[in-house]
Amino acid sequence: MMGQITSKRDGLVLPRVHFTTSEEGPPRYSSQQLDASRQQQDGNLQVPPTIVVSDGSRMDVRRSSLYSTLDLVPQLEHYARSLPHHRMKSRPSLEALRRASDVSCSLPVTDSVNEEPQAKEEKAPVRFGWVIGVMVRCMLNIWGVILFLRLSLITSQAGILLTWLIILMSVTVTSVTALSISAIATNGRVISGGAYFMISRSLGPEIGGPIGMVFSFANALACALNTVGFAEVVRDLLQEFGVPIVDPINDIRIVGVVTVTVLLLISLAGMEWESKTQILFFIILLVSFANYLVGTVIPPSVEKQALGIFGYRSDIFVQNLTPDWRGPEGNFFELFAIFFPSAIGILSGANISGDLKDPATAIPKGTLVAIFWTTVSYLVISVTVGACVLRDASGNITDILVGNITDDCVGLGCQLGWNFTECAQTQTCEYGLANSSKVLGQLSGFYHLITAGVFAASLSSALGFLVSAPKVFQCLCRDNLYPYIGFFAKGYGKNDEPLRAYLLCYIIAVAFILIAELNLIAALISNFFLCSYSLINFSCFHASITNSPGWRPSFHYYSKWTALFGAVISVVLMFLFTWWAALTTFCIIFFLFGYVNYNKPEVNWGSSVQAGTYNMALSYSVALSGVEDHVKNFRPQCLVLTGPPNQRPALVDFVASFTKHTSLMICGDIIMREDLCGCSRPQDATDWLLKWLNKRKVRSFYTPFTADSLRLGARHLLQASGLGKLKSNTLVLGFKANWRDSSPESIEDYINTIYDTFDSNFCLCILRMMDGQDISDQFHSEVNQGFEHDETVENDDQQSPERESADDISDKGDSDQIKTVFQNDQGKKTIDVYWIADDGGLTLLVPYLLTRRKHWHRSKVRVFIMGDEQNMEEGLNKVIIILRRFVDSVAPFRLYDEQKEGVSIQELRQSAPWKISDKEFEAFKLKSERKVRLNEIIRRNSQHAALVLVSLPVPHSDCPSALYMAWLDTLTCGLHCPAVLIRGNQQNVLTYYCQ
C-alpha cells in the first residue's frame, strides 16, 4: 500500500556538509548543518525537497536529490542486502525515474504497513563491546588448564628457549589467522555464525557447510573436554581430603555432568548472565596471576625449598634454558601438540558476532589484543617458573645438606644446600619442574588461589564453548544446507537464543563426559580447529587474489601471502600432531562437501569462488583468442533459437545431447517488441529460465534479445552472440510445421533467417519433431496455474513471434520438466545419416557426438550415400501419390498465368516474393521430384530408427520461399522419429590425418 507523499521546499541553500545516518531511518541533515546552510547561501544550489512517506504507523523521511523529488540522496539502507532485524529499503528504478516528474511522483514503499507498534516498547537485545564481547572471551578460552597444569612440564622438558619457540610458533599461527579474521570481518556486515559465517560467505556453501558442521561439533567436544579437566581437578581434591564420591572414573562423570548442567542453566538464562559469569571468572584469573607473581618474589621457606623452589636465581635460569627430554613425550613436536590446543580460543569472540555492537570493529581489536596479552602471560610464566624452580626435588626436608658436606652430591641442588641426587638418578622425584603439575600453586603466594584459577580457566572455557557451538550451529541450520537440522534453527527471546541448539550441545557434551576417556577425541578437536584456521586463512587469500571489487576490507594490516602461509602451516600441523586424526578430519570434510556439492543449494553469497571462476574464465577466454583454429579442435558451438527454453524442451535436449561437456550452447530468445511494448524480458523471468535449464542439467547460456522480427533478431544474435573463440558457429532452428497455415510474411521471415545463416558462414540444423515442439498449450493445461495464453499462438516449432508474454513466466516448480525422447535410453536403435551432399563432415560429426552420451551409446550409426543418378530416377512411378501431395501443398502459393489480368508477373513477384510462378515451378520440378523420391527411400529404410539426419539442401537465391519450405517438409514428412536437416558451411570439421 502506497503511503501519503508530501513534499516541501524550504528555500535553503545547500552548503558543503556531511549527512548523518541512523539505523531507524535514512540519512538526514542535522539541525546544526541546516543552520550552517542558512549562513552559507551562494544563490546557486538549493536544498532538495524533503519527502515524507506515511504508512499510518510510522513516518519515513526521505531527502531527495537536486535532480528530482523521486531521485533520493545516497542512503545506507539501500546497500544492505540482508541486515538482521531490519527491512531492506529500495530505491526507485530507472524506469520510474524516467517516467516520473518533479510535480507528481510515487515512491516505492517497502516498509510494512502492519509494523507492530509494541516492538518499540520491547527491551533492546544485549550487545557487547570489544572488551567484554571479544577480548575477555578470547583471553578466558586461551587461558585454559594447560597454562596451570602443563606449561611447567613443557618448560622443564623443552627448556625456556624452546618453550618460547613453541609459544611463538603457536602465536604465529593464531595471529595470522586473527589477521585473516579481521580482514574478513571488516569486509562487510558479520551476523551470527562466527567462523562458519565467514568461511561460507567467502568460499561458498560447499566449503562453509562442512566446516560449520565440524566446527560446531568440535566446540561441543571442547566443552566436554574442559568440563572433564575441571572434574579431574575436583576429583584430586576430593581424594586429597579423603572424601571420594564413588571411584576415580565415576567421580569424574558425576562432577562433569553436574558441572555442565549448571553451565547450561547459566547459558539458558541469557547472554547477559553468561557474560557476568565470564567477567567473574576473568577477575578470578587476574587475582590468580597476581598471586603467582607475588609468590615468585617472596623468599622461599624450607618447605618450599624441599619442593625445588628457590626464588629467582641466575644459575637455575641458565640450567633451565636448554631442553631435558624425558619419557615418551620427550620431543619437540609432542610438546608442541600438547601446548597448541591452548591457542584455539581465538574464535570465541567471532563465534558470538551476532551479539556484538559492532563486529567489524570488535573482532579485530578484541582478538588481537587478547592474543597479545595471553602471549605475554605465557612467556612471563614460562620464564619465571624456569628461573625459580629446579627440575627435580624430593620434597623431603631431611635432604638438606648440613655444613659443607657435598660428598656424592650431584646437580645444581648441591650448590643450593640440598641433596636431590638419589631421586634424580632413580627418577623417583615427585616434585620439581619436571615431575609435578602443581608447581605454579606451590610457587604462588597462596596455593588455593591457583586452584581457583584452574577452576575459572576450565569453567570459563567450557562455558565459552557451550555458548559458541549453538550459535554457530543455529546459523548453519538457518541456511538449510543439510536435512533434518532445521528444527534447531529457531531462536527465542530478544537475543534470538538458540535454546534447542543449547540442549543438543548439552546432550553431546554429557555423552562424551560419560565416556571419561577423551584422549583420542582431543586429537580430533585440535584437527577440527586447525582445519577451520586453514580455511579461514585460505578464504582471506582467495578473496585477495581474485581481485574482486567486492573485497574491500577496512582492516589493512594483513597480507594475502601471510594468509596463504597460515593456511598451509595449519594443514602441516594437522599431520604433524596426529596424522590419523588429520585423515579422519579430511574424510569427514570431503563427505559433507560432496553432499552439499551434489544437492547444489540455491544460495548466492557472492563468494570468492565465484570471483575466481570469473577470473579464470576471463583469462582463458583471452588466451584462447590468440590460438588459431584447427580442424581437430572443431566443436559445433550452437546458437539455438528456443524462445523461452521451457516451451521447447525437445529442441533444448537435442542440442544438449551433443554439446554437454563438449562445446558451447546458447539458447536465444527473440522477443518481439509488440509483445512486450518495447520492454525487455524482466530479470526475474530470465533468472527463472536459467534455473529451469540448471534443473534440467543443461549446460547452456540464455540470451534474450528484443527485435522487430525473427529475422532481425536472429541476424543480430548471429553476429553478437559469444565471446572470442567461444562464439557460435552453428544455428539450430525448430522446423516450421504449420507453414501451410502461416502468413506469407512469416514464411518469408523464416526462410530469410536460413539465408542469413549461410551468408554468415554458419552451419545450420533444423529439428523436426513429428508431434511438434512448442508445448506451451500442453504446459498450460498440465500445470493448471491459470496463466493466460494467446489463442493466436501458431503451432509451429520455430520461435514464433506470438508467444507467452514475459509476465507469464514464473516459478512453477518441477512440474514443467517434461521428459522428451532425447532423455530416454535409445537401446540398440539406429541413427540413420543420409549424407547427400559433402558439407565438410558436420553431418557425420553430430551423430558421433550423440553416441558418446549414455542414452545413445548403444545406438549404431548407419550412413547412406547417393548412388548413381540412374538409380535415383528409377522407381518414380512408385511415388506418384507423394508427388501429388507435394503439388497440392504448394498450390496455395502458386502464381498461375491466368491470374495476371493486366498485371505483370514481375509486379506480382515483387509484391509477393513467396509466390511460385509456373516458370519457376517447371524449372525446379526435377529437384522437387528428387526430394519426393529421397523421402520415400528414407521412410522405407528408417522405419525403426531413433533419429534421422538428412543433408539440408542449400536454397538458391531465385528459389521462392514457399517452394523451399515445401522441399524441407517433403524431405522429413511421414517419419516416426525425430528428423534433423543439417548442413555444414563447406569447411572441413573432420580429418583422418594425425597432424
Side-chain angles (χ1 to χ4, degrees):
M1 176 179 179
M2 296 298 296
Q4 179 183 1
I5 301 175
T6 61
S7 65
K8 60 181 181 179
R9 299 181 182 270
D10 52 13
L12 300 180
V13 177
L14 181 65
R16 183 182 297 175
V17 295
H18 300 283
F19 55 80
T20 59
T21 61
S22 68
E23 293 186 356
E24 288 77 15
R28 54 184 179 272
Y29 292 98
S30 65
S31 59
Q32 293 83 356
Q33 292 166 347
L34 293 179
D35 292 339
S37 68
R38 293 186 176 93
Q39 300 172 4
Q40 300 181 13
Q41 297 188 8
D42 57 5
N44 296 324
L45 298 177
Q46 291 197 358
V47 167
T50 300
I51 300 175
V52 182
V53 181
S54 174
D55 59 9
S57 61
R58 63 191 296 270
M59 302 292 290
D60 189 7
V61 182
R62 299 185 178 185
R63 183 165 293 279
S64 62
S65 69
L66 293 169
Y67 303 130
S68 168
T69 55
L70 187 60
D71 203 359
L72 304 179
V73 298
Q75 299 188 24
L76 178 63
E77 289 82 356
H78 292 162
Y79 297 90
R81 287 192 57 85
S82 57
L83 285 179
H85 314 299
H86 290 76
R87 284 178 301 277
M88 180 181 173
K89 298 181 183 297
S90 63
R91 63 177 66 86
S93 64
L94 286 174
E95 182 180 0
L97 291 176
R98 292 180 63 233
R99 297 185 178 184
S101 64
D102 287 342
V103 178
S104 175
C105 62
S106 61
L107 278 175
V109 181
T110 59
D111 296 327
S112 175
V113 176
N114 299 321
E115 182 181 1
E116 299 181 1
Q118 62 268 24
K120 297 182 180 179
E121 301 176 1
E122 293 182 0
K123 188 177 179 181
V126 178
R127 294 289 183 262
F128 305 109
W130 70 273
V131 176
I132 303 298
V134 181
M135 187 193 76
V136 171
R137 292 180 180 276
C138 290
M139 293 179 72
L140 286 173
N141 278 272
I142 296 174
W143 283 334
V145 293
I146 291 177
L147 172 66
F148 293 96
L149 302 181
R150 302 305 297 269
L151 184 58
S152 59
L153 298 177
I154 294 173
T155 304
S156 169
Q157 293 221 32
I160 296 175
L161 293 178
L162 290 184
T163 301
W164 274 40
L165 180 60
I166 289 174
I167 295 172
L168 294 177
M169 287 178 62
S170 302
V171 170
T172 299
V173 177
T174 56
S175 298
V176 170
T177 306
L179 294 177
S180 299
I181 292 173
S182 301
I184 297 173
T186 58
N187 188 52
R189 183 68 63 92
V190 178
I191 61 174
S192 61
Y196 160 70
F197 182 85
M198 296 180 186
I199 295 175
S200 61
R201 269 55 178 182
S202 295
L203 293 179
E206 293 84 1
I207 300 296
I211 285 300
M213 188 71 74
V214 168
F215 191 69
S216 302
F217 187 68
N219 275 272
L221 294 189
C223 173
L225 279 178
N226 283 275
T227 305
V228 169
F230 168 78
E232 288 180 350
V233 176
V234 174
R235 178 201 61 186
D236 294 341
L237 287 176
L238 292 176
Q239 290 180 349
E240 183 178 341
F241 289 102
V243 285
I245 302 175
V246 182
D247 56 65
I249 295 297
N250 287 316
D251 285 358
I252 294 177
R253 293 170 176 165
I254 295 172
V255 174
V257 171
V258 172
T259 302
V260 78
T261 303
V262 174
L263 296 178
L264 174 67
L265 295 177
I266 295 174
S267 301
L268 294 178
M271 289 298 295
E272 197 169 357
W273 282 94
E274 187 268 347
S275 178
K276 292 178 180 178
T277 306
Q278 294 284 37
I279 293 175
L280 175 62
F281 289 149
F282 186 71
I283 293 173
I284 294 174
L285 278 171
L286 291 181
V287 173
S288 178
F289 289 147
N291 170 60
Y292 165 76
L293 293 176
V294 170
T296 59
V297 297
I298 296 177
S301 62
V302 176
E303 289 78 8
K304 284 192 174 183
Q305 291 182 3
L307 301 176
I309 299 171
F310 293 91
Y312 290 108
R313 295 187 62 90
S314 60
D315 47 0
I316 297 179
F317 175 77
V318 171
Q319 185 188 49
N320 289 332
L321 279 177
T322 56
D324 181 19
W325 309 113
R326 301 182 182 183
E329 297 178 352
N331 63 78
F332 181 82
F333 285 106
E334 286 290 340
L335 296 179
F336 191 19
I338 292 173
F339 176 81
F340 187 81
S342 65
I344 63 177
I346 62 169
L347 295 177
S348 299
N351 287 338
I352 63 164
S353 53
D355 297 301
L356 301 176
K357 293 179 182 177
D358 186 7
T361 302
I363 292 176
K365 186 184 296 185
T367 304
L368 293 174
V369 171
I371 291 176
F372 173 77
W373 286 116
T374 52
T375 302
V376 171
S377 64
Y378 274 105
L379 294 175
V380 168
I381 291 177
S382 63
V383 72
T384 53
V385 75
C388 297
V389 186
L390 291 175
R391 282 193 170 100
D392 296 297
S394 63
N396 191 351
I397 300 179
T398 59
D399 288 337
I400 189 172
L401 293 176
V402 180
N404 294 325
I405 302 175
T406 58
D407 296 339
D408 300 327
C409 184
V410 180
L412 183 59
C414 302
Q415 302 176 17
L416 301 175
W418 292 82
N419 186 4
F420 301 133
T421 305
E422 182 179 355
C423 72
Q425 291 178 345
T426 58
Q427 296 185 355
T428 58
C429 295
E430 298 180 1
Y431 298 96
L433 201 60
N435 305 294
S436 176
S437 61
K438 302 176 182 179
V439 170
L440 295 187
Q442 296 164 354
L443 181 58
S444 64
F446 184 64
Y447 177 83
H448 294 292
L449 278 180
I450 296 298
T451 303
V454 175
F455 287 173
S458 57
L459 291 178
S460 63
S461 297
L463 182 59
F465 289 122
L466 182 61
V467 171
S468 298
K471 294 283 186 180
V472 175
F473 192 64
Q474 182 189 37
C475 185
L476 173 65
C477 295
R478 286 178 173 173
D479 288 337
N480 291 321
L481 300 182
Y482 296 102
Y484 312 118
I485 62 175
F487 174 79
F488 301 100
K490 184 175 178 59
Y492 296 87
K494 59 186 179 182
N495 283 340
D496 196 30
E497 296 290 348
L499 301 185
R500 297 176 179 177
Y502 275 131
L503 294 177
L504 177 63
C505 180
Y506 169 77
I507 293 172
I508 294 174
V510 168
F512 284 95
I513 288 172
L514 294 178
I515 295 176
E517 292 290 339
L518 299 179
N519 292 334
L520 298 181
I521 303 300
L524 278 178
I525 293 175
S526 296
N527 276 269
F528 288 165
F529 280 101
L530 277 171
C531 186
S532 302
Y533 295 169
S534 177
L535 287 176
I536 288 175
N537 286 299
F538 183 75
S539 300
C540 182
F541 168 75
H542 196 266
S544 299
I545 64 170
T546 54
N547 296 320
S548 173
W551 175 249
R552 302 183 302 273
S554 58
F555 183 86
H556 301 291
Y557 304 102
Y558 78 97
S559 169
K560 58 185 177 183
W561 302 116
T562 58
L564 179 61
F565 169 77
V568 173
I569 198 64
S570 296
V571 175
V572 171
L573 291 177
M574 288 176 66
F575 285 93
L576 287 179
F577 289 170
T578 316
W579 65 268
W580 61 265
L583 292 178
T584 304
T585 302
F586 280 113
C587 288
I588 295 173
I589 294 293
F590 286 142
F591 173 77
L592 297 174
F593 168 82
Y595 179 86
V596 178
N597 189 58
Y598 177 79
N599 285 275
K600 297 188 183 305
E602 295 183 1
V603 295
N604 185 6
W605 293 327
S607 66
S608 62
V609 174
Q610 296 174 348
T613 303
Y614 173 84
N615 282 350
M616 291 175 60
L618 184 61
S619 60
Y620 286 149
S621 298
V622 173
L624 194 62
S625 299
V627 179
E628 294 185 4
D629 294 329
H630 193 280
V631 63
K632 291 194 295 184
N633 290 326
F634 175 85
R635 299 165 186 264
Q637 302 186 143
C638 298
L639 170 61
V640 193
L641 297 187
T642 60
N646 63 324
Q647 293 186 10
R648 293 172 179 83
L651 188 60
V652 172
D653 292 340
F654 164 67
V655 180
S657 296
F658 64 86
T659 60
K660 189 174 183 181
H661 303 299
T662 302
S663 58
L664 175 70
M665 176 180 176
I666 302 175
C667 290
D669 182 6
I670 301 175
I671 306 169
M672 305 305 171
R673 294 187 189 277
E674 60 270 17
D675 290 348
L676 295 180
C677 302
C679 302
S680 60
R681 186 174 299 286
Q683 184 61 39
D684 55 350
T686 300
D687 293 340
W688 181 84
L689 289 172
L690 287 172
K691 291 180 180 179
W692 184 89
L693 291 169
N694 291 332
K695 287 182 180 179
R696 206 168 182 86
K697 298 182 179 180
V698 174
R699 292 167 57 106
S700 172
F701 296 98
Y702 170 71
T703 303
F705 189 86
T706 304
D708 294 326
S709 66
L710 171 69
R711 181 185 184 184
L712 289 177
R715 179 185 296 174
H716 286 97
L717 285 176
L718 287 171
Q719 296 179 34
S721 63
L723 179 68
K725 294 294 183 181
L726 298 177
K727 188 174 179 63
S728 54
N729 55 29
T730 303
L731 180 69
V732 182
L733 291 169
F735 181 73
K736 191 173 181 62
N738 65 336
W739 66 277
R740 295 184 185 87
D741 302 323
S742 300
S743 62
E745 293 80 4
S746 176
I747 299 176
E748 190 74 10
D749 203 32
Y750 183 81
I751 299 302
N752 284 335
T753 301
I754 297 178
Y755 290 163
D756 293 339
T757 302
F758 290 126
D759 290 342
S760 301
N761 202 31
F762 267 57
C763 306
L764 179 65
C765 291
I766 300 177
L767 174 66
R768 181 172 187 177
M769 304 292 294
M770 296 305 109
D771 53 353
Q773 293 180 39
D774 194 333
I775 63 166
S776 55
D777 292 333
Q778 174 187 357
F779 173 73
H780 280 273
S781 61
E782 287 184 359
V783 177
N784 195 22
Q785 294 290 336
F787 296 110
E788 296 181 359
H789 184 61
D790 191 352
E791 294 181 356
T792 64
V793 172
E794 299 177 306
N795 186 25
D796 61 7
D797 294 327
Q798 67 140 359
Q799 180 170 307
S800 174
E802 299 86 12
R803 298 176 317 186
E804 180 183 44
S805 66
D807 294 335
D808 294 335
I809 300 177
S810 59
D811 194 349
K812 310 176 184 68
D814 293 333
S815 58
D816 61 328
Q817 295 290 344
I818 297 175
K819 195 171 185 179
T820 65
V821 64
F822 297 102
Q823 293 178 319
N824 298 328
D825 186 86
Q826 303 300 323
K828 295 184 178 180
K829 293 182 180 180
T830 60
I831 300 176
D832 291 350
V833 180
Y834 291 85
W835 197 10
I836 307 303
D838 186 1
D839 60 351
L842 183 68
T843 308
L844 294 182
L845 180 61
V846 169
Y848 164 73
L849 295 176
L850 279 173
T851 58
R852 296 170 60 179
R853 308 297 300 168
K854 67 176 182 179
H855 295 314
W856 299 84
H857 74 281
R858 291 190 296 167
S859 299
K860 183 179 180 181
V861 178
R862 299 193 302 175
V863 181
F864 297 84
I865 58 176
M866 288 287 296
D868 54 38
E869 188 173 350
Q870 182 179 0
N871 292 333
M872 277 293 297
E873 298 294 340
E874 293 178 358
L876 283 179
N877 294 330
K878 300 179 182 179
V879 293
I880 296 297
I881 298 177
I882 302 177
L883 186 58
R884 287 177 180 175
R885 290 177 182 174
F886 172 79
V887 174
D888 293 339
S889 66
V890 299
F893 303 94
R894 294 284 300 274
L895 188 64
Y896 298 102
D897 293 340
E898 57 269 17
Q899 293 177 349
K900 296 179 183 179
E901 297 181 359
V903 180
S904 65
I905 293 181
Q906 288 77 12
E907 294 177 354
L908 290 175
R909 195 77 178 82
Q910 291 178 357
S911 61
W914 54 85
K915 290 286 188 178
I916 309 171
S917 66
D918 291 341
K919 182 178 180 181
E920 290 170 334
F921 187 80
E922 290 298 326
F924 291 106
K925 182 177 180 180
L926 181 59
K927 293 184 178 181
S928 300
E929 292 174 349
R930 289 176 178 175
K931 305 294 188 300
V932 173
R933 173 58 179 158
L934 180 58
N935 174 257
E936 192 274 336
I937 295 174
I938 294 173
R939 290 198 295 175
R940 183 180 61 196
N941 293 282
S942 302
Q943 293 181 359
H944 305 291
L947 180 67
V948 173
L949 292 94
V950 186
S951 293
L952 175 74
V954 177
H956 295 271
S957 58
D958 58 344
C959 180
S961 58
L963 180 60
Y964 184 72
M965 199 70 230
W967 287 353
L968 301 185
D969 188 13
T970 300
L971 280 174
T972 56
C973 70
L975 299 179
H976 301 287
C977 64
V980 179
L981 294 165
I982 185 170
R983 186 76 187 205
N985 61 356
Q986 302 303 109
Q987 296 179 6
N988 284 346
V989 301
L990 297 176
T991 179
Y992 55 84
Y993 287 105
C994 294
Q995 57 270 55

